[in-house]
Amino acid sequence: MKNSILAPIGAMMALGLSMPAMAQDSGGAVDWTGPYVGGSFGYNWQKSDGAEHLRFDTDGDGSYDDAVTTTTGANAFSPGTCGGAARGRTPASGCDDDKDAIGWMGHVGYDMQFGSFVAGVVAEAGKAYVDDKVTEFSTTPAFYTMRRKIDWNGNLRARLGYTTPGGVMPYITGGLAYAKVKNNFNTSNGMNSFTAENRSEDGWGWTMGGGVEAKVADNFSIGARYLWTRYNVDDYRVDVGAGSAPATNPFLITPSGGTSISRGDKFDTQSVMVTSSFRF
């Protein structure tokens, strides 16, 4: 799937770079200085993270570094985990993978040229249709799945590039990133009660990458860019209560009399997008 998206992006960029810089005056150099607006479209994906686990706080200290154990002291989650959504109560049932998907963004920016170097700043906002899931399996047996999706995302980046006289500019970029993240929880455990807190949370982080842009007309440029982004998200949790479970339930025989569930606090995504900009 990923290759089927990247291939047309590469073909489009190759076509753009092969076109003459129509904005170039005879014998003159292309000037990048000025404001611009535009948009981008491409593909977003996540790294495969089979090592991710749900985390537990059994003593109420706010640190998710405890083990949930049975009355005999055995690990209640010894069957293991999977980096996706469970299809059944046991690991043998399998898991559905995380969703990688298309995305789009609008942007506004400003560039200033200094000889062959171009420095600028750009702000973007849009949508990345990805979701990230992790499941833990208990000895009951039962599954516990946490899922998070990006409602919308944006970034504010600096750019530094080097332009040829014909108007082809490779560049590096990086800056602040933000995503509004929506969370949910699903389990086959019908005995305990589960109360979610902070289903919608702010994911602040950073982004870095690079790309290439080419002027194909005096007021129009196209390009392609890659970004690696990390959002820090650690507010969402699920508090487990007694419900109809017996007093010997592993979630209840804890120092605090209950258990809170969380997950990793880093949400990493990558994207490759084709860009187009109208320059004033």
Side-chain angles (χ1 to χ4, degrees), residues 23 215-221 277-280:
K215 270 203 169 184
V216 294
D218 188 39
N219 296 107
F220 189 72
S221 62
S277 300
F278 179 81
R279 294 181 168 269
F280 300 94

Side-chain angles (χ1 to χ4, degrees), residues 37-118:
V37 297
S40 57
F41 178 83
Y43 194 68
N44 298 269
W45 72 94
Q46 308 160 69
K47 68 178 182 180
S48 176
D49 191 2
E52 187 180 7
H53 288 265
L54 296 185
R55 304 183 299 171
F56 305 97
D57 177 15
T58 63
D59 55 14
D61 66 353
S63 296
Y64 293 84
D65 55 2
D66 304 321
V68 178
T69 59
T70 67
T71 54
T72 63
N75 185 352
F77 286 89
S78 57
T81 187
C82 75
R87 296 174 182 163
R89 295 172 178 264
T90 67
S93 303
C95 282
D96 293 324
D97 292 336
D98 291 340
K99 179 183 177 183
D100 301 330
I102 61 171
W104 59 267
M105 303 192 88
H107 62 252
V108 58
Y110 189 90
D111 285 327
M112 180 72 73
Q113 186 165 341
F114 305 91
S116 295
F117 291 93
V118 180

